[in-house]
Amino acid sequence: MKDACPVCGLRTERGERGYVVGSYMFNIVFSELLFAGIFVAVVALTWPSPPWEYLQYGGAALMLVAPFALLPFCRTLFLAMDYIVRPEVDPPDPPWEGR
């Protein structure tokens, strides 16, 4: 991700040590919820004989790919939630500075 939004200048890092750990937590939660939702849906839709082998290998592949695919979304979501809770911690720089 960029250091700041090119339009409004909002910094993507709030300048605190360990700040990204929250976004990693969101990433793990969303990845596992995605896996659980897909797993339950496939088992429910194919109940008399679920494809256990496909679920096993597909689930493993999903859990390897999903955290990387969801990381930018989770970082942005964590930044938005942190900005709602603590709006005055780190005011954004104007977009014209630092170019």
Side-chain angles (χ1 to χ4, degrees):
M1 290 181 66
K2 296 184 182 266
D3 292 335
C5 175
V7 177
C8 69
L10 178 68
R11 291 184 213 152
T12 57
E13 299 276 338
R14 296 295 292 254
E16 296 175 3
R17 184 175 175 187
Y19 177 75
V20 295
V21 175
S23 64
Y24 294 157
M25 184 263 317
F26 272 30
N27 193 6
I28 291 170
V29 168
F30 284 136
S31 297
E32 292 192 12
L33 285 175
L34 178 67
F35 167 74
I38 291 173
F39 187 86
V40 168
V42 169
V43 169
L45 292 173
T46 62
W47 175 241
S49 58
W52 295 114
E53 189 170 318
Y54 290 126
L55 286 170
Q56 179 182 4
Y57 295 120
L62 178 66
M63 291 311 294
L64 289 174
V65 173
F68 294 105
L70 293 175
L71 184 60
F73 170 74
C74 292
R75 286 189 71 186
T76 305
L77 181 64
F78 185 73
L79 176 65
M81 292 183 72
D82 188 45
Y83 191 69
I84 288 170
V85 173
R86 303 178 312 148
E88 300 298 325
V89 169
D90 191 12
D93 292 332
W96 56 85
E97 287 185 7
R99 289 188 183 178

